[in-house]
Amino acid sequence: MNGQARSWSASPILPNCIICGAPKAGTSALHLWLSDHPEVLGTSEKETYFFVDPGTHMHRPQIHISNGYEGFSRYVPADEIGDQKILIESTPSYIYYQTAIDTIPQLPTSPRCIFVLREPAQQIYSLFSYFKNNWSWIPSSMGFADFLTAIRIPPDPGVFKGNELAANALANARYVDFLLRWRERIGNERMLVIAYEELRDHPVETAAAVARWLGIDSTFFANYTFPRDNETYMPRSGTLQRVNVSLREKLPKGKLYRLARGLYRRLNTRKPSGATSLEQQIMADLAMEYAEPNARLRREFQLALDGWS
């Protein structure tokens, strides 16, 4: 992409790089790191949900691809537009949605798509903890074992308040089933698959490799601080957390929102205590269920996946 005109600068404005998956696999951190790069412009909201399936829990009917391309410009911070080569958007559930796979490959910007994957059992546990603690999609009284029992059979739609990512967590962790469909549509050249564990353990090298793939200066990350983002937390006060959940989706995203979010997290959150010994054993058993799809994932996409079953 070096030396090319910005493919996103013409009307309508659309991204030319999208982080499409997977949830709870470090996509928020990667989006932040790339957005800090001088050659990259990040959307005002990391997850725009612009290409999600209608009827899903993240669908915003008024700002959606079904209404045409023009609505996406709402998520582009006009006061930050410069000569950036990349406009990036990151909604990690796109990996699963038919609307995304039908529309993203056909965008006039020919976006490149990044998929970050996490060891399945760890990803499912993180998703469970996040939806239970940071949000209220999963009942606060439900343990991890009970959650797995509930999703092994088709759960009642009301159990997780219509959150299909929680209900489909087991099938969604079979990443290869979804990635093969994406590869059929966009090909290897426009698709980058990386492991969360590489992002976590080798951020400098991994971010630099992503930058080279995008055709931007990889040396930017040599002295970068690599902040974390969107980590799971435990609320100190359940009452304040319920108020937080009810209000935050109604507030406009931007600098003031981020400041308020930071203040709230300092006042009413703490780091989770981590998985209990029983939960760790449950995860170990769960991990073995993914040996076959993980083997196909390694083979199809030439991934090392160290530490995976």
mmCIF file of all heavy atoms in Angstrom, residues 52-61 64 162 164:
data_model
loop_
_atom_site.group_PDB
_atom_site.id
_atom_site.type_symbol
_atom_site.label_atom_id
_atom_site.label_comp_id
_atom_site.label_asym_id
_atom_site.label_seq_id
_atom_site.Cartn_x
_atom_site.Cartn_y
_atom_site.Cartn_z
ATOM 1 N N VAL A 52 -22.932 -5.609 11.175
ATOM 2 C CA VAL A 52 -23.471 -6.753 11.911
ATOM 3 C C VAL A 52 -24.787 -7.201 11.284
ATOM 4 O O VAL A 52 -25.408 -6.488 10.494
ATOM 5 C CB VAL A 52 -23.680 -6.439 13.410
ATOM 6 C CG1 VAL A 52 -22.384 -6.019 14.069
ATOM 7 C CG2 VAL A 52 -24.766 -5.389 13.600
ATOM 8 N N ASP A 53 -25.227 -8.386 11.652
ATOM 9 C CA ASP A 53 -26.503 -8.902 11.159
ATOM 10 C C ASP A 53 -27.665 -8.167 11.817
ATOM 11 O O ASP A 53 -27.661 -7.947 13.038
ATOM 12 C CB ASP A 53 -26.638 -10.393 11.455
ATOM 13 C CG ASP A 53 -25.776 -11.257 10.562
ATOM 14 O OD1 ASP A 53 -25.248 -10.729 9.553
ATOM 15 O OD2 ASP A 53 -25.631 -12.460 10.855
ATOM 16 N N PRO A 54 -28.688 -7.800 11.039
ATOM 17 C CA PRO A 54 -29.907 -7.249 11.648
ATOM 18 C C PRO A 54 -30.504 -8.248 12.638
ATOM 19 O O PRO A 54 -30.463 -9.457 12.432
ATOM 20 C CB PRO A 54 -30.826 -7.044 10.447
ATOM 21 C CG PRO A 54 -29.900 -6.871 9.277
ATOM 22 C CD PRO A 54 -28.733 -7.785 9.567
ATOM 23 N N GLY A 55 -31.035 -7.730 13.723
ATOM 24 C CA GLY A 55 -31.645 -8.578 14.727
ATOM 25 C C GLY A 55 -30.703 -9.040 15.808
ATOM 26 O O GLY A 55 -31.152 -9.585 16.821
ATOM 27 N N THR A 56 -29.401 -8.857 15.620
ATOM 28 C CA THR A 56 -28.452 -9.229 16.661
ATOM 29 C C THR A 56 -28.392 -8.131 17.729
ATOM 30 O O THR A 56 -28.876 -7.016 17.517
ATOM 31 C CB THR A 56 -27.056 -9.473 16.076
ATOM 32 O OG1 THR A 56 -26.645 -8.312 15.335
ATOM 33 C CG2 THR A 56 -27.077 -10.672 15.132
ATOM 34 N N HIS A 57 -27.795 -8.461 18.867
ATOM 35 C CA HIS A 57 -27.888 -7.548 20.000
ATOM 36 C C HIS A 57 -27.112 -6.250 19.801
ATOM 37 O O HIS A 57 -27.335 -5.282 20.535
ATOM 38 C CB HIS A 57 -27.433 -8.248 21.290
ATOM 39 C CG HIS A 57 -25.952 -8.344 21.469
ATOM 40 N ND1 HIS A 57 -25.168 -9.249 20.792
ATOM 41 C CD2 HIS A 57 -25.115 -7.637 22.261
ATOM 42 C CE1 HIS A 57 -23.916 -9.100 21.153
ATOM 43 N NE2 HIS A 57 -23.841 -8.140 22.045
ATOM 44 N N MET A 58 -26.227 -6.187 18.807
ATOM 45 C CA MET A 58 -25.456 -4.971 18.561
ATOM 46 C C MET A 58 -25.994 -4.154 17.380
ATOM 47 O O MET A 58 -25.426 -3.121 17.036
ATOM 48 C CB MET A 58 -23.992 -5.327 18.316
ATOM 49 C CG MET A 58 -23.292 -5.885 19.529
ATOM 50 S SD MET A 58 -21.543 -6.249 19.245
ATOM 51 C CE MET A 58 -21.672 -7.634 18.120
ATOM 52 N N HIS A 59 -27.053 -4.610 16.766
ATOM 53 C CA HIS A 59 -27.569 -3.952 15.571
ATOM 54 C C HIS A 59 -28.109 -2.552 15.887
ATOM 55 O O HIS A 59 -28.909 -2.377 16.804
ATOM 56 C CB HIS A 59 -28.686 -4.807 14.969
ATOM 57 C CG HIS A 59 -29.298 -4.226 13.735
ATOM 58 N ND1 HIS A 59 -30.652 -4.281 13.479
ATOM 59 C CD2 HIS A 59 -28.742 -3.585 12.672
ATOM 60 C CE1 HIS A 59 -30.907 -3.697 12.321
ATOM 61 N NE2 HIS A 59 -29.767 -3.271 11.825
ATOM 62 N N ARG A 60 -27.625 -1.566 15.144
ATOM 63 C CA ARG A 60 -28.123 -0.197 15.239
ATOM 64 C C ARG A 60 -28.854 0.108 13.939
ATOM 65 O O ARG A 60 -28.230 0.474 12.923
ATOM 66 C CB ARG A 60 -26.972 0.790 15.445
ATOM 67 C CG ARG A 60 -26.219 0.604 16.749
ATOM 68 C CD ARG A 60 -24.980 1.475 16.798
ATOM 69 N NE ARG A 60 -24.308 1.414 18.082
ATOM 70 C CZ ARG A 60 -23.136 1.980 18.338
ATOM 71 N NH1 ARG A 60 -22.496 2.631 17.382
ATOM 72 N NH2 ARG A 60 -22.595 1.887 19.534
ATOM 73 N N PRO A 61 -30.176 -0.025 13.908
ATOM 74 C CA PRO A 61 -30.917 0.059 12.648
ATOM 75 C C PRO A 61 -30.700 1.357 11.869
ATOM 76 O O PRO A 61 -30.712 1.349 10.635
ATOM 77 C CB PRO A 61 -32.380 -0.086 13.086
ATOM 78 C CG PRO A 61 -32.317 -0.795 14.397
ATOM 79 C CD PRO A 61 -31.053 -0.324 15.050
ATOM 80 N N HIS A 64 -26.425 1.650 9.705
ATOM 81 C CA HIS A 64 -26.131 0.277 9.321
ATOM 82 C C HIS A 64 -25.959 0.212 7.814
ATOM 83 O O HIS A 64 -26.519 1.021 7.062
ATOM 84 C CB HIS A 64 -27.280 -0.641 9.775
ATOM 85 C CG HIS A 64 -27.009 -2.094 9.592
ATOM 86 N ND1 HIS A 64 -27.547 -2.809 8.553
ATOM 87 C CD2 HIS A 64 -26.249 -2.969 10.312
ATOM 88 C CE1 HIS A 64 -27.147 -4.071 8.639
ATOM 89 N NE2 HIS A 64 -26.347 -4.196 9.697
ATOM 90 N N GLY A 162 -30.806 -11.963 24.776
ATOM 91 C CA GLY A 162 -30.661 -11.876 23.331
ATOM 92 C C GLY A 162 -29.241 -11.741 22.835
ATOM 93 O O GLY A 162 -29.026 -11.486 21.644
ATOM 94 N N GLU A 164 -26.367 -13.106 21.301
ATOM 95 C CA GLU A 164 -26.034 -14.318 20.545
ATOM 96 C C GLU A 164 -24.577 -14.725 20.699
ATOM 97 O O GLU A 164 -24.243 -15.905 20.532
ATOM 98 C CB GLU A 164 -26.384 -14.131 19.057
ATOM 99 C CG GLU A 164 -25.474 -13.206 18.277
ATOM 100 C CD GLU A 164 -25.686 -11.722 18.584
ATOM 101 O OE1 GLU A 164 -26.708 -11.380 19.233
ATOM 102 O OE2 GLU A 164 -24.831 -10.917 18.183
#
